[in-house]
Amino acid sequence: MSRVAIKGSAYCLQHTPELGLHYGNTPHVERHSHGETDYLKKLPEHAQSFEEAKDYAPNMAYIGTLPLEDLENQAKPMYENRLSGADRYGKFGEIMPEDEFIGLMDICDVFDLVWLEKDFAASVKKKLSDHKFMTESMLARLEEGRDRAEIEADCDEKHGALPLYFDGKIVGCVRKGHEVDENLSAHVLLENIASKSSAVLSLLHLLQNTGMKAEEVDFVIECSEEGAGDMCQRAGGNFAKAIAEIVGCKNASGCDVRGFCAGPVNAMIAGASQVAAEARSNVVVLAGGAVPKLYMNSKDHVKKELPALEDCLGSFAVLITPCDGVSPEMRLDAIGKHTVGAGASPQAVTQALTWEPLQKVGLDLADVDKFGAELHIPEITLPAGAGDVPMANIKMIAALAVMKKSIEKANMMNFVKEKGLPGFAHTQGHIPAGAPFIGQAAEWIKDGKIKRAMIIGKGSLFLARLTNLADGASFLIETPASADSVAAVSKDDVKNILLEALSEISDSLTK
């Protein structure tokens, strides 16, 4: 089996506070159940502007504007100590404003489901024309727009479209795709088109970051938490191929992988396995964001007079290729899995995903330089009572290291400090679950800062009401073997070595 490399990655945020206000699950359920409550009336007052979101240190770390190693040194609370004047573009991707993102949703719509108001469409087209990576073919897909009255008429109860807002005004709508099919309702289609569009943005950045042409992509694996289909196959897919189509990956096929928060890690393993088996050469693993997760914890933020920070969709894309001796390698002989019989306790899950795969290849917990698990931004989760999730994860790993005698108990907090990571990802479910650190880990390995990192994804399967089991998976990224080492195991060299050995045996037998 061939070895595989992580050739490049991209990470983007889409600042979408008004999508969150109207269609984030917490505000939506509140409005549906209780009407315009005090919480809903106050939420807009707690919303961040685009400039505030752009200058928020964890957001900057996610797209690569701020080095991750500098994040822990930022003054707390970080929402009161923003780094003003940040560039919207970073090493990995960008933070896109909401109006441009709504325009991108229209570009990614192929069934005339997204309608935009004329003046808004013209304004957005001008902005997207100046975007670094928008192609002429993509811009040609942006509609000229419709009269506001026509859009508002389609948003009545009879027609069932959902309005899109910017600056508090209706600037478009998403229409339903079927009269009775709930899977093609405007609400579901809005979520799916938003997820597709955010993944498209990350794929565009990935192509730029790696220098690869769109037509060179062989296969795309999409791993968000959305489900696309109709009443006969409600989550049949295929986000992956739909995303590839918009970007112009004409030689690619693709499929979707689902596993809640464990989805991205399982998708990485699936993509790497295809490359290792020499079935495909250039495999992209990507995911768009989740509209329902916007403002998920905002009730607590509003109650405690804090900024409502959950205002960004997250997306990412990673390119997996054959090993080249330069790019960091992804190991397939040390895959962690949370089996059915592993147990659900935090200790059991941690052991299955860290200790056990390391033991298979003769490594120890102390041999891993950094562990990337659930990388939620603590300033979002702490006010909601969920704690500092990244800190809780690394403390559990450190406790296991003590129990397995990998380290002394006295060194436990040093282990936590040296091998843990600060949280820098939005509470988008699948997005924080290890995936944000893939790109950062690869960069650190290239720069010689670390030699080995473990990426961990954990999923809540019980949310589907099919099982009470949780799920999880993990893999290692390491310093690559040298180009000479890669060449040394080529088929031609093996053949030459065998011929030389046979020749020597033949000579010895004739003497």
Side-chain angles (χ1 to χ4, degrees):
M1 180 179 284
S2 300
R3 303 203 311 277
V4 302
I6 293 176
K7 193 78 170 177
S9 57
Y11 294 90
C12 293
L13 293 170
Q14 297 80 35
H15 182 243
T16 51
E18 298 200 55
L19 275 180
L21 174 62
H22 295 280
Y23 307 115
N25 197 55
T26 297
H28 173 74
V29 170
E30 178 83 0
R31 188 175 292 108
H32 181 76
S33 303
H34 306 294
E36 292 295 321
T37 61
D38 285 343
Y39 150 65
L40 290 173
K41 291 175 183 176
K42 291 179 180 178
L43 180 55
E45 301 169 13
H46 294 258
Q48 298 182 108
S49 68
F50 173 72
E51 289 298 320
E52 288 173 326
K54 178 176 63 66
D55 295 345
Y56 184 51
N59 291 349
M60 294 168 65
Y62 187 84
I63 68 166
T65 307
L66 179 73
L68 183 55
E69 52 266 50
D70 292 349
L71 185 60
E72 284 183 289
N73 299 323
Q74 297 304 310
K76 310 292 192 302
M78 289 181 284
Y79 54 77
E80 290 184 355
N81 295 277
R82 299 176 192 270
L83 303 174
S84 60
D87 194 332
R88 87 178 241 188
Y89 293 96
K91 178 188 290 187
F92 297 115
E94 69 173 289
I95 302 177
M96 176 174 270
E98 189 159 24
D99 57 342
E100 292 182 35
F101 183 66
I102 291 173
L104 183 57
M105 287 174 62
D106 182 70
I107 288 172
C108 293
D109 166 35
V110 299
F111 278 91
D112 196 30
L113 300 167
V114 178
W115 285 0
L116 301 182
E117 188 273 329
K118 284 182 179 178
D119 292 341
F120 178 79
S123 170
V124 167
K125 187 161 191 173
K126 185 176 185 305
K127 290 183 179 181
L128 289 177
S129 296
D130 295 331
H131 191 281
K132 291 182 177 182
F133 308 132
M134 290 294 150
T135 64
E136 288 299 320
S137 61
M138 293 180 70
L139 290 169
R141 299 181 56 83
L142 188 64
E143 65 176 62
E144 292 185 4
R146 298 168 184 268
D147 292 332
R148 187 181 303 276
E150 185 179 5
I151 291 170
E152 290 177 348
D154 214 60
C155 293
D156 64 16
E157 188 173 344
K158 176 185 175 183
H159 294 94
L162 290 181
L164 295 171
Y165 298 86
F166 185 69
D167 280 344
K169 301 173 184 176
I170 294 177
V171 296
C173 68
V174 176
R175 306 163 66 221
K176 63 184 179 182
H178 195 276
E179 288 302 316
V180 297
D181 189 347
E182 293 182 359
N183 303 285
L184 297 173
S185 67
H187 198 111
V188 173
L189 290 172
L190 183 151
E191 292 175 0
N192 287 351
I193 293 171
S195 185
K196 172 187 174 182
S197 304
S198 55
V200 161
L201 187 63
S202 279
L203 180 52
L204 288 169
H205 277 272
L206 178 68
L207 295 177
Q208 173 69 23
N209 294 348
T210 59
M212 187 174 65
K213 296 177 181 178
E215 56 268 27
E216 294 175 325
V217 177
D218 295 318
F219 201 78
V220 178
I221 301 179
E222 194 269 359
C223 52
S224 71
E225 292 187 334
E226 307 303 336
D230 67 3
M231 65 177 72
C232 295
Q233 49 271 316
R234 65 185 60 194
N238 183 319
F239 278 95
K241 205 162 185 178
I243 293 162
E245 175 190 24
I246 296 297
V247 179
C249 303
K250 62 183 182 180
N251 294 316
S253 185
C255 68
D256 303 341
V257 167
R258 294 292 177 266
F260 288 98
C261 301
V265 172
N266 281 315
M268 287 292 296
I269 295 168
S273 299
Q274 289 195 32
V275 175
E278 300 182 6
R280 275 121 184 174
S281 295
N282 298 320
V283 174
V284 173
V285 174
L286 51 71
V291 169
K293 301 290 178 68
L294 295 169
Y295 289 145
M296 186 166 59
N297 295 290
S298 59
K299 276 191 176 182
D300 291 291
H301 300 152
V302 169
K303 187 187 302 181
K304 296 176 181 178
E305 295 296 327
L306 301 172
L309 298 170
E310 296 167 296
D311 56 2
C312 289
L313 298 174
S315 60
F316 76 91
V318 178
L319 174 61
I320 305 172
T321 67
C323 180
D324 57 11
V326 177
S327 303
E329 292 187 31
M330 179 178 166
R331 290 189 68 160
L332 288 172
D333 57 348
I335 299 297
K337 61 176 181 176
H338 183 216
T339 62
V340 170
S345 71
Q347 181 180 318
V349 175
T350 302
Q351 177 164 313
L353 297 182
T354 60
W355 174 259
E356 292 178 8
L358 289 169
Q359 287 290 288
K360 284 192 297 185
V361 293
L363 295 173
D364 198 277
L365 291 166
D367 294 320
V368 177
D369 297 308
K370 288 289 183 180
F371 292 89
E374 297 164 295
L375 298 170
H376 299 271
I377 299 170
E379 290 184 349
I380 290 175
T381 56
L382 281 165
D388 185 332
V389 181
M391 180 60 72
N393 273 281
I394 192 60
K395 282 185 175 179
M396 181 60 66
I397 295 170
L400 180 64
V402 172
M403 189 179 76
K404 296 295 185 182
K405 303 190 184 306
S406 296
I407 60 171
E408 297 294 327
K409 188 174 182 181
N411 293 328
M412 182 172 166
M413 291 314 296
N414 286 336
F415 183 101
V416 168
K417 183 177 181 180
E418 291 172 5
K419 300 181 184 295
L421 294 164
F424 61 102
H426 279 257
T427 46
Q428 286 274 289
H430 60 297
I431 295 294
F437 187 51
I438 295 170
Q440 300 274 5
E443 290 293 315
W444 285 358
I445 289 171
K446 284 180 187 175
D447 295 341
K449 294 177 181 177
I450 63 173
K451 293 182 178 180
R452 183 178 293 116
M454 177 171 271
I455 307 299
I456 304 166
K458 294 186 280 186
S460 307
L461 298 186
F462 46 83
L463 296 172
R465 305 302 192 269
L466 292 177
T467 175
N468 281 313
L469 294 174
D471 192 22
S474 64
F475 62 85
L476 290 173
I477 307 174
E478 290 188 342
T479 301
S482 69
D484 290 340
S485 298
V486 174
V489 295
S490 70
K491 289 180 181 178
D492 287 342
D493 281 348
V494 169
K495 185 194 221 177
N496 290 334
I497 290 168
L498 286 173
L499 288 172
E500 187 176 328
L502 288 171
S503 176
E504 289 176 1
I505 292 171
S506 175
D507 289 344
S508 69
L509 290 174
T510 58
K511 288 180 180 178

